[in-house]
């Protein structure tokens, strides 16, 4: 396995690996992805094997421009166009009815497709260089926290992937917001782009995740973002017992709780071998749906 700095030569080599059907880990503005060409079925199958990902969990298709969306969905709804012009390239994934036949493994047999245009020059260079969209789930082992730097990818996938393209740490550090526009707008996964911003563009309400949404977003039912340490959400400071504490207002010896660093903090706790991560859940946390969602999911997963 090679870890290579994402200079022009590294990018060329990554393109050659991808064209030959070998998945490559690469940076995006959200988290590192594990990419394969959309229409290379063996490479797509290899992604599921490398990540140990259940095959009923579909993949996001990454395009390098709005024309990539039109090529895959002949009838793009007006709402989707409005969201793309507001937020692409960027951390917004749209789930739409599928037009062109895509390999069934990509969409896990669903009649829909999840698409986003990443806001990262390396990701865009790979898609353009390969000449077709890249499917890319987060480049972690299934269930583990998403990787936000090349070192995290190596921790999970060393010996399992042919190449890791190192483009430095990811700017955002959590995964894209996923919105379904298959019927009414539904938030399938909160992310950096907030629901209020999306509603402002659409001029209508977005339904929030509910008991019904796992059927729409298969990934949500799985164990997720889980460090080996137990994550405990403490609503009162008196509940804090661990030596590893994340807080929006850290006291001495505690760590700053930041969306960008959350997954890195989880991995750091595991490296230190702590048994529990105590999160100081001050009421302000309610304002950040994406951060709260990842914390709750991690706490639910349990070690
Ligand atoms: O920021 C991101 O989105 C990163 C980077 C690499 O782009 N990718 C990412 O992919 O987080 P992944 O596979 O870890 O998460 C994709 C999520 C899963 O929850 C999956 O179930 C959902 O998107 N998804 C994919 N296709 C879908 C579809 N057709 N319908 C509903 N949900 C879908
Ligand atoms: Mg993932």
């Amino acid at each position: 396995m090679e870890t290579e700095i994402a200079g022009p030569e590294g990018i060329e080599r990554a393109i050659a690996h991808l064209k030959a059907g070998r998945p490559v880990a690469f940076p995006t503005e959200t988290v590192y992805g594990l990419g394969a060409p959309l229409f290379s079925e063996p490479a797509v199958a290899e992604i599921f094997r490398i990540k140990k990902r259940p095959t009923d969990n579909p993949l996001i298709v990454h395009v390098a421009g709005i024309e990539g969306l039109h090529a895959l969905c002949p009838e793009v709804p007006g709402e989707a166009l409005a969201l793309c012009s507001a937020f692409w390239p960027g951390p917004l994934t749209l789930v739409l009815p599928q037009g062109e036949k895509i390999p069934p493994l990509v969409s896990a047999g669903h009649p829909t497709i999840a698409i986003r245009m990443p806001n990262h020059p390396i990701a865009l260079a790979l898609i353009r260089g390969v000449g077709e969209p890249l499917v890319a789930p987060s480049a972690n082992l299934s269930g583990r926290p998403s990787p936000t730097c090349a070192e995290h990818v190596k921790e999970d996938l060393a010996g399992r992937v042919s190449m890791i393209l190192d483009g430095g740490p990811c700017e955002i550090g959590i995964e894209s917001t996923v919105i379904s526009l298959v019927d009414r707008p539904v938030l399938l996964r909160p992310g950096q782009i907030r629901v209020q911003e999306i509603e402002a563009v659409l001029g209508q309400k977005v339904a929030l995740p509910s008991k019904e949404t796992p059927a729409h977003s298969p990934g949500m039912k799985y164990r997720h973002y889980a460090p080996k340490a137990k994550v405990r959400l403490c609503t009162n400071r008196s509940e804090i017992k661990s030596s590893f504490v994340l807080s929006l207002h850290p006291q001495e010896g505690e760590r700053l709780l930041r969306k960008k660093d959350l997954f890195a903090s989880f991995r750091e706790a595991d490296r230190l071998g702590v048994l529990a991560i105590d999160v100081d859940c001050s009421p302000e946390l309610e304002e950040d749906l994406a951060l709260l969602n990842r914390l709750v999911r991690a706490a639910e997963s349990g070690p």
Side-chain angles (χ1 to χ4, degrees):
M1 184 203 63
E2 342 162 33
T3 297
E4 254 195 76
I5 301 297
E9 284 174 19
I11 291 175
E12 277 315 308
R13 258 195 291 280
I15 291 169
H17 275 290
L18 287 164
K19 283 185 165 170
R22 288 186 291 272
V24 168
F26 65 92
T28 79
E29 80 280 31
T30 56
V31 300
Y32 271 69
L34 179 64
L38 171 60
F39 296 108
S40 166
E41 295 207 44
V44 175
E46 185 65 3
I47 281 187
F48 285 88
R49 193 195 63 75
I50 292 172
K51 274 183 62 84
K52 301 187 181 169
R53 181 179 177 104
T55 49
D56 64 353
N57 192 4
L59 305 176
I60 296 175
V61 176
H62 294 65
V63 294
I66 189 90
E67 64 289 348
L69 170 65
H70 288 293
L72 294 166
C73 307
E75 285 168 43
V76 182
E79 289 92 345
L81 292 178
L83 291 177
C84 293
S85 66
F87 302 115
W88 277 14
L92 178 70
T93 297
L94 299 175
V95 174
L96 298 167
Q98 217 180 94
E100 172 157 343
K101 200 87 201 97
I102 61 161
L105 202 51
V106 170
S107 56
H110 293 264
T112 53
I113 182 170
I115 307 191
R116 90 172 186 103
M117 177 185 178
N119 186 16
H120 197 292
I122 297 167
L124 295 172
L126 295 182
I127 301 164
R128 292 185 180 126
V130 172
E132 71 184 80
L134 294 179
V135 292
S138 48
N140 50 293
L141 281 177
S142 206
R144 297 270 299 144
S146 294
T148 56
C149 64
E151 197 53 40
H152 297 167
V153 179
K154 208 167 153 188
E155 269 172 24
D156 279 18
L157 302 184
R160 305 182 66 80
V161 67
S162 0
M163 183 173 182
I164 301 171
L165 202 50
D166 185 351
C170 301
E171 210 178 299
I172 294 176
I174 63 159
E175 309 87 345
S176 60
T177 306
V178 182
I179 292 276
S180 168
L181 294 175
V182 173
D183 6 83
R184 69 202 165 116
V186 180
L187 177 70
L188 300 182
R189 180 174 73 185
Q192 177 75 0
I193 296 180
R194 298 160 64 92
V195 179
Q196 295 87 331
E197 296 174 76
I198 293 169
E199 288 175 340
V201 171
L202 293 178
Q204 61 173 311
K205 280 278 175 202
V206 170
L208 292 181
S210 70
K211 293 260 181 291
E212 300 130 49
T213 48
H216 294 277
S217 186
M220 297 304 274
K221 70 174 184 278
Y222 289 108
R223 184 186 145 88
H224 247 95
Y225 315 122
K228 297 186 183 94
K230 186 171 176 53
V231 176
R232 295 191 298 222
L233 304 183
C234 307
T235 45
N236 193 308
R237 276 206 154 265
S238 65
E239 295 162 27
I240 294 175
K241 302 280 185 297
S242 174
S243 59
F244 197 104
V245 180
L246 295 174
S247 172
L248 290 173
H249 306 288
Q251 298 182 358
E252 207 188 326
E254 298 180 349
R255 288 165 172 80
L256 182 62
L257 172 60
R258 280 208 303 185
K259 199 157 42 189
K260 185 176 158 59
D261 302 327
L262 179 70
F263 294 143
S265 301
F266 283 174
R267 285 176 183 268
E268 185 197 354
D270 285 348
R271 269 194 306 275
L272 293 171
V274 302
L275 296 179
I277 299 170
D278 283 347
V279 183
D280 169 24
C281 292
S282 59
E284 288 165 74
L285 207 49
E286 303 273 324
E287 287 159 33
D288 194 334
L289 199 56
L291 178 57
L292 191 61
N293 167 270
R294 303 311 190 270
L295 286 168
V296 169
R297 303 288 314 275
E300 282 170 350
S301 285

